[in-house]
Amino acid sequence: MMTTIAPVVHGILPAVSMELPQLRPWIDQMAELCRPDEVVWCDGSQKEYDRLCELLVRQGTFRRLNPEKRPNSYLALSDPTDVARVEDRTFVCSWRKDDAGPTNNWVDPIAMKQTLRDLFDGCMRGRTMYVVPFSMGPIGSPIAHIGVEVTDSAYVAVSMRIMTRMGTPVLDALGDGFFVPCAHSVGMPLRPGQEDVPWPCNPKQKYIVHFPEERAIWSFGSGYGGNALLGKKCFALRIASCMARDQGWLAEHMLIVGVESPEGEKTYIAAAFPSACGKTNFAMMIPPEHFKGWKVTTVGDDIAWIKIGKLGRLYAINPENGFFGVAPGTSYQSNRNAMETITRNTIFTNVALTEDGDVWWEGMTEKPPARLTDWTGQPWTPDCGRKAAHPNARFTAPLSQCPTLDPEWENPAGVPISGFIFGGRRSSMVPLVFQDFNWSHGVFLAASMGSETTAAAAGNVGTVRRDPMAMLPFCGYHMADYFNHWLDIGRQLPNPPRLFRVNWFRKGPDGRYLWPGYGENMRVLKWIIDRIHGRGVGVESPLGWMPRPEDIDLGGLEGFTMQDFAQLMEVDREAWLRETVSVEEVEFNLYGRLPKEFLLNRELLISRLWHSPGSWQLYPELQHYPELQH
């Protein structure tokens, strides 16, 4: 049941029944600063969730979807200025500027704290402050950690219930222990009698601020998921990466899957892809019919916390409790399991509304509906020239509804990780798959990763930017120190996991995707698993170990030719030399702290490329594989 504390009087909260010597003083301070009309401690119950959703419906933030088509599901349409992460307004305010590094926006923490106190002063007038205690990971897990978010957004409160373990059980586990304080406000106080808007936010001022040494997060002005659900990127990556550095573990922007062979051999893989590059599709992969008996199970689709466990192995948990997936492009053809996951109990944000009260987005069906209400609330037809759903439209759904959920997903000890996959969106140059020569080479490859930008972050779409390990926007400290930390972790492992690079998005000269992707990625995944277990064959290329056509099971893959495979695996020497130079330009800013292994690996790569043909191919002569030429 939702426990409502009486309105704040002179900033002093009435007593609550539980003893929380670390938490209570902070709540008192935030209530005195923000001056909400009332403070509500969220208990995480279904009754509370339903009550808050009904409140959001009355306020116009939520529209209840057709209960026959989407039971207990809602649609929210955001302000057009509040649709994605605002990386230019995201700050890491470490005590020393050098510790934040050149890839993070830094402001002196004392100055920033004063700026935030001025902004938060009275920012919740006319609103309710929700106290949201949450656990990142199974409550009580040695890999999990607890946070508490105060927010004036009921949308955030209900979303946090889906995305985290939230409520009274977390407070019971916390006691007088450590927690990460997370302060959030939409930045739109209400004057007496002022009418609210369906999506309150501050279009002029937005701050998403992290204080690494203090382990604290402040967010102002945005109600959008990544900026407002502070357990997600803010805690689970930016603050957790600093905790992991100090405590000897890894906090990564990675999905976790289990792959089980027909013989019952289970292998867990963690994979890093930038946002909107197919993480959720990969995490819920359905193997093609040719792979009868193989199973892919889902532990998580976005974030992994990884610690060294028994026998020097790495064990990982998914610290989240839900999916915050990109809707456009998700369909029964691309990701049946995701579509089944979001059939009920789901919050949709910035998708289109059908005439019969369901949702739709680009790519959901081959033929769009004749009439819709688009994400801005305007009438939409297929010929109007606008997108019906925002490119970064999202669904928020419980992990427990995923048909492929791994039986060990809530194991407090985590699952053993045997391999890491790193991939981005590159339409040229980067082969389908290759493996590192050793741990330091693999870390170098992952650190030099680039990807074409997507709509998940505000800014231009389609330009290539460096995104080392898919962590550039999310690492809470100096990236060169982050690379060193990865190398240090590997030195502690007697048999470290293998590292692989993949690229599902390479195109041919005609602009056609050369690889079908989606469930067919199982073919690449099987080769990776065979390599992990010492069974798979690979040949040495300038970049790493690569499979030959006969090393990847291509049986039953219609329309795929040897020419396609040759283009997928080709290494263009000049293009890769230019790539190496562009990586060097980016890493020049990190030079003072850059691992010396990186300098040597770069020289080795240049040397291998220099002594390679202009176009390195596995087999230049196609007659070796006439069966694939049709």
Side-chain angles (χ1 to χ4, degrees), residues 72-125:
N72 198 33
S73 297
Y74 303 89
L75 170 63
L77 303 180
S78 80
D79 187 283
T81 67
D82 197 23
V83 295
R85 295 193 315 269
V86 283
E87 292 178 10
D88 61 327
R89 303 304 302 162
T90 300
F91 300 89
V92 172
C93 296
S94 51
W95 290 337
R96 300 193 312 163
K97 183 177 182 180
D98 283 350
D99 290 338
T103 61
N104 283 314
N105 300 316
W106 181 87
V107 174
D108 177 80
I110 296 176
M112 177 59 82
K113 190 62 72 73
Q114 186 57 55
T115 297
L116 291 171
R117 289 192 179 279
D118 291 343
L119 290 171
F120 272 76
D121 188 4
C123 67
M124 295 186 185
R125 283 195 182 99

Side-chain angles (χ1 to χ4, degrees), residues 366-387:
E366 186 173 342
K367 183 179 179 181
R371 286 177 295 276
L372 296 167
T373 301
D374 73 12
W375 74 275
T376 66
Q378 303 300 311
W380 183 92
T381 57
D383 59 354
C384 70
R386 305 189 313 274
K387 296 284 189 183

Side-chain angles (χ1 to χ4, degrees), residues 412-451:
V415 297
I417 300 298
S418 298
F420 290 105
I421 298 174
F422 298 90
R425 181 182 290 269
R426 298 299 295 269
S427 57
S428 64
M429 209 184 75
V430 179
L432 175 65
V433 60
F434 57 97
Q435 182 193 344
D436 65 322
F437 291 129
N438 50 54
W439 180 266
S440 67
H441 176 239
V443 174
F444 166 73
L445 290 175
S448 60
M449 191 169 73
S451 186

Side-chain angles (χ1 to χ4, degrees), residues 26 36 38 40 42 120 124 127-132 148-158 160 182-186 222 228-230:
W26 179 67
E38 64 174 346
V40 171
C42 294
F120 272 76
M124 295 186 185
R127 300 191 180 277
T128 297
M129 173 189 283
Y130 299 96
V131 180
V132 182
V148 179
E149 178 169 358
V150 295
T151 178
D152 53 5
S153 168
Y155 171 88
V156 168
V158 295
M160 288 291 285
C182 307
H184 169 256
S185 173
V186 295
S222 173
L229 308 183
L230 301 186

Side-chain angles (χ1 to χ4, degrees), residues 420-563:
F420 290 105
I421 298 174
F422 298 90
R425 181 182 290 269
R426 298 299 295 269
S427 57
S428 64
M429 209 184 75
V430 179
L432 175 65
V433 60
F434 57 97
Q435 182 193 344
D436 65 322
F437 291 129
N438 50 54
W439 180 266
S440 67
H441 176 239
V443 174
F444 166 73
L445 290 175
S448 60
M449 191 169 73
S451 186
E452 294 164 9
T453 53
T454 70
N460 294 328
V461 174
T463 58
V464 175
R465 75 168 181 180
R466 295 297 128 197
D467 197 354
M469 299 179 171
M471 279 289 285
L472 186 69
F474 309 121
C475 184
Y477 60 102
H478 199 293
M479 282 302 299
D481 292 344
Y482 171 77
F483 302 150
N484 276 298
H485 181 57
W486 261 82
L487 292 171
D488 288 342
I489 291 291
R491 294 184 187 108
Q492 300 175 52
L493 306 175
N495 185 26
R498 277 49 173 174
L499 281 68
F500 301 81
R501 280 283 301 271
V502 299
N503 177 30
W504 320 126
F505 302 98
R506 189 163 180 172
K507 296 180 180 179
D510 58 357
R512 173 180 60 91
Y513 285 112
L514 295 170
W515 183 249
Y518 303 116
E520 303 299 348
N521 294 337
M522 182 68 222
R523 302 172 186 274
V524 176
L525 189 54
K526 181 180 181 299
W527 179 78
I528 287 173
I529 289 170
D530 286 342
R531 292 291 293 174
I532 287 171
H533 294 297
R535 298 188 296 262
V537 175
V539 298
E540 185 175 343
S541 79
L543 305 180
W545 297 104
M546 284 188 183
R548 301 165 300 173
E550 62 265 42
D551 302 324
I552 291 186
D553 188 344
L554 300 174
L557 189 56
E558 296 182 3
F560 186 78
T561 67
M562 180 58 193
Q563 289 91 334

